[in-house]
Amino acid sequence: MMTIDGLFAAGDAVSGPATVIEAIGGGKRAAEAIDRYLNNIPQPRMPKIPIRYNMEAPMEMSASRKMTLKRPEMPMLNVDRRRTMFQQAELGYDEKSVRREAARCLRCDICRRCAKCVEICRDKMGIDALQFGYMDFDNPSETDFRATSEKCITCGACAANCENKAIVIEEADDIRTLKLCGTILNKQEIQYCEECSAMLPSIEYMQFLSQKTSDVTKVIENRLLCNNCQRKLSAKINIETRPVNQS
Ligand code: SF4
Ligand code: SF4
């Protein structure tokens, strides 16, 4: 980052979209730095970015559950007691309610709302599978985590470009899963080459690619093959069916 003598910055201008708490912290650090600057006190050496010591793993859940979770009702002191004493009216959640409320968290400590994933899926891939209205004010849309599974082809472009690893593609037990901070947005079956067993993209992704280019994995003789095996098989078919030169 470029340094300009006498210029101080804090908040989103430094960190990109982040939380109010981080902006307040940045403002305090900037105020201290200005004070030192005005009093000709050397600035301390600061880490370039805040150090995160630990992070709570996101809770895994389906998109439908995430969309339908409601804020638990706060237990309240009964009205008669509230009239006669100054006891705290909100009694607090029990553990079960706390856990339910925690499950609604959108994890803004992991996903920094840069909207790069939305833009890549919509503008670069032309798929527009990510419907996160709260991230993209220029293209207002209603947030719906469930809608992704209808269009997403698990190409992984969004995950590959998320610097915070908030949106990820995981491959396990023959299933490729797209997750945003633990919320499962899409699941697709992993395909394998029928010749060498190499892992292939999803059927939907292969169909998408075949519309864009011809040099892709496709079914030859009703067999699903990777590009290598496809090339080898094409060469073999070519040799076997080529007419022999008559001399
Ligand atoms: S998931 Fe990643 S790319 Fe998408 S908005 Fe969050 S931080 Fe940005
Ligand atoms: S993995 Fe799905 S959501 Fe991500 S860019 Fe590809 S199609 Fe869009």
Side-chain angles (χ1 to χ4, degrees):
M1 192 180 285
M2 194 172 65
T3 304
I4 300 175
D5 188 45
L7 181 67
F8 298 84
D12 290 5
V14 175
S15 60
T19 63
V20 173
I21 304 291
E22 284 161 295
I24 293 169
K28 283 188 175 175
R29 284 193 296 279
E32 283 166 13
I34 293 166
D35 187 51
R36 279 199 197 88
Y37 177 80
L38 295 175
N39 288 296
N40 285 322
I41 301 169
Q43 301 291 346
R45 289 171 70 82
M46 305 275 282
K48 282 192 178 144
I49 48 168
I51 298 164
R52 191 188 294 277
Y53 291 102
N54 55 32
M55 182 184 281
E56 197 58 38
M59 293 166 84
E60 188 172 308
M61 71 184 73
S62 69
S64 294
R65 174 145 192 260
K66 191 78 175 183
M67 288 299 295
T68 47
L69 280 168
K70 296 266 185 299
R71 184 197 294 264
E73 207 170 307
M74 177 62 73
M76 303 293 283
L77 198 65
N78 84 41
V79 178
D80 289 340
R81 293 193 70 173
R82 272 190 263 167
R83 274 204 205 102
T84 54
M85 53 206 312
F86 290 103
Q87 204 177 328
Q88 187 169 322
E90 293 187 342
L91 297 177
Y93 291 135
D94 60 14
E95 187 179 329
K96 201 169 148 211
S97 304
V98 169
R99 289 185 181 280
R100 227 179 27 242
E101 180 63 345
R104 297 195 317 125
C105 178
L106 293 175
R107 298 304 304 263
C108 59
D109 59 326
I110 308 177
C111 169
R112 310 308 288 269
R113 311 285 190 268
C114 65
K116 207 188 263 182
C117 53
V118 177
E119 285 163 16
I120 282 170
C121 185
R122 185 191 58 220
D123 305 336
K124 305 270 186 239
M125 298 299 295
I127 298 169
D128 198 14
L130 299 175
Q131 215 170 302
F132 306 151
Y134 60 96
M135 281 186 196
D136 195 353
F137 298 111
D138 296 335
N139 298 280
S141 67
E142 215 169 288
T143 296
D144 191 347
F145 295 134
R146 294 164 297 194
T148 300
S149 62
E150 287 167 24
K151 291 187 184 170
C152 172
I153 57 173
T154 58
C155 68
C158 53
N161 287 283
C162 175
E163 287 165 16
N164 302 307
K165 302 202 176 346
I167 194 159
V168 291
I169 288 256
E170 289 174 359
E171 288 165 339
D173 301 328
D174 294 340
I175 299 289
R176 190 172 280 120
T177 309
L178 178 74
K179 289 185 199 167
L180 172 69
C181 299
T183 304
I184 298 168
L185 303 180
N186 196 15
K187 277 184 174 188
Q188 280 173 348
E189 211 177 310
I190 295 175
Q191 307 297 321
Y192 297 93
C193 171
E194 291 177 29
E195 192 71 18
C196 71
S197 302
M199 197 184 279
L200 300 175
S202 66
I203 294 275
E204 292 80 355
Y205 188 24
M206 288 189 270
Q207 283 165 352
F208 171 84
L209 287 177
S210 67
Q211 286 160 11
K212 306 270 172 199
T213 166
S214 57
D215 182 27
V216 291
T217 303
K218 55 187 167 197
V219 178
I220 288 191
E221 294 182 331
N222 289 327
R223 298 173 70 205
L224 201 55
L225 301 170
C226 68
N227 287 347
N228 266 346
C229 293
Q230 199 187 129
R231 260 193 297 275
K232 281 185 203 159
L233 190 66
S234 303
K236 196 169 162 227
I237 293 170
N238 208 12
I239 290 165
E240 282 169 3
T241 55
R242 206 164 148 193
V244 183
N245 274 350
Q246 309 237 326
S247 53

